[in-house]
C-alpha cells in the first residue's frame, strides 16, 4: 500500500523530471526509487510516467496522483504542526518569531511583566527577515510573529501596536 514516503518520492521525481536526480536528493539508489514508482504504478494500475533517455514526464494519471499526493502531504504536515503546537502550548512554551530589530521595541519592563504574569510560560524567541517570520507563522513553526508592517494574510489574526 502506498505511504507518505512513497508519495514524497513520487513528488520529487515529478519535480526533478528524473529518477536519477530524484534518487540523489532522496539518498536512494535509482533502482530502489524506480522500484518504488513501479510498485505505485502497479497499485493504481496505471502508468504514472513516460520514460525516455531525457528523463520522465508525468502521464495524466501521474498528474492526478501528483496533485493528490501534494494535498495529502500538506494536510499531514498541517496536522503534525497543529499537534506539535498544542503540545508546546500544553508544556507552557510560546514560540515567537520577529523581524530583525523588533525586539528593541519590547522593553525589559514589558518582558518582565509578561514573565511575572505567566510564570509557567517559557518563551522561545527567533529573529528572521520579515518574509521568514510570515512563513514561520503560516507553516505553524511559531505561535506569534512580530513584523514592522501589517498586511492582510490568509486567516491570520493581526494586531497592530503603536508607541
Amino acid at each position: 500500500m502506498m505511504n507518505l514516503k512513497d508519495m514524497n518520492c513520487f513528488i520529487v521525481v515529478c519535480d526533478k523530471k528524473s529518477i536519477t536526480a530524484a534518487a540523489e536528493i532522496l539518498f536512494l539508489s535509482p533502482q530502489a526509487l524506480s522500484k518504488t514508482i513501479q510498485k505505485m504504478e502497479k497499485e493504481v494500475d496505471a502508468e504514472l510516467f513516460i520514460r525516455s533517455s531525457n528523463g520522465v514526464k508525468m502521464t495524466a494519471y501521474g498528474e492526478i496522483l501528483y496533485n493528490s499526493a501534494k494535498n495529502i502531504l500538506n494536510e499531514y504536515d498541517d496536522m503534525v504542526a497543529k499537534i506539535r503546537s498544542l503540545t508546546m502550548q500544553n508544556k507552557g512554551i510560546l514560540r515567537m518569531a520577529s523581524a530583525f530589530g523588533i525586539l528593541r521595541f519590547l522593553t525589559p519592563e514589558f518582558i518582565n511583566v509578561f514573565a511575572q504574569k505567566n510564570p509557567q510560560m517559557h518563551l522561545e524567541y527567533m529573529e528572521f527577515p520579515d518574509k521568514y517570520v510570515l512563513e514561520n507563522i503560516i507553516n505553524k513553526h511559531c505561535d506569534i510573529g512580530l513584523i514592522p508592517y501589517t498586511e492582510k494574510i490568509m486567516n491570520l489574526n493581526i494586531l497592530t501596536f503603536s508607541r
Side-chain angles (χ1 to χ4, degrees):
M1 175 145 66
M2 200 179 310
N3 59 39
L4 297 175
K5 182 181 175 192
D6 295 342
M7 287 185 225
N8 186 59
C9 289
F10 176 77
I11 288 169
V12 174
V13 171
C14 293
D15 291 344
K16 293 298 171 187
K17 297 177 177 55
S18 164
I19 290 176
T20 304
E24 190 172 311
I25 289 169
L26 295 165
F27 301 104
L28 296 170
S29 70
Q31 296 81 3
L33 183 54
S34 190
K35 282 184 182 180
T36 298
I37 299 300
Q38 289 169 1
K39 180 184 84 165
M40 293 172 76
E41 289 176 324
K42 187 174 182 180
E43 183 175 336
V44 297
D45 193 28
E47 194 171 303
L48 300 172
F49 294 109
I50 298 169
R51 292 155 175 85
S52 74
S53 58
N54 295 332
V56 295
K57 182 181 178 196
M58 278 187 283
T59 63
Y61 308 112
E63 288 181 28
I64 292 169
L65 181 59
Y66 179 80
N67 292 326
S68 295
K70 283 194 85 133
N71 288 335
I72 290 167
L73 291 176
N74 286 335
E75 283 291 320
Y76 175 79
D77 289 344
D78 189 48
M79 175 198 63
V80 169
K82 285 177 182 174
I83 291 170
R84 284 185 181 151
S85 181
L86 184 58
T87 301
M88 298 292 264
Q89 289 173 19
N90 288 337
K91 290 180 180 176
I93 298 172
L94 178 65
R95 299 168 304 165
M96 182 171 76
S98 81
F100 292 119
I102 294 291
L103 187 60
R104 71 176 182 255
F105 294 108
L106 298 179
T107 63
E109 179 185 340
F110 173 85
I111 295 169
N112 239 354
V113 169
F114 178 85
Q116 287 172 358
K117 288 186 177 183
N118 302 282
Q120 77 289 359
M121 189 71 62
H122 172 73
L123 180 65
E124 288 184 359
Y125 178 75
M126 303 159 276
E127 274 190 310
F128 300 103
D130 298 1
K131 75 176 190 172
Y132 295 117
V133 173
L134 292 173
E135 283 180 21
N136 275 282
I137 290 289
I138 291 166
N139 294 323
K140 298 174 180 60
H141 295 238
C142 61
D143 305 304
I144 295 173
L146 303 173
I147 53 175
Y149 58 89
T150 60
E151 64 180 62
K152 190 71 176 155
I153 302 169
M154 292 196 255
N155 295 327
L156 296 181
N157 292 325
I158 297 176
L159 300 173
T160 55
F161 297 92
S162 60
R163 291 198 206 202

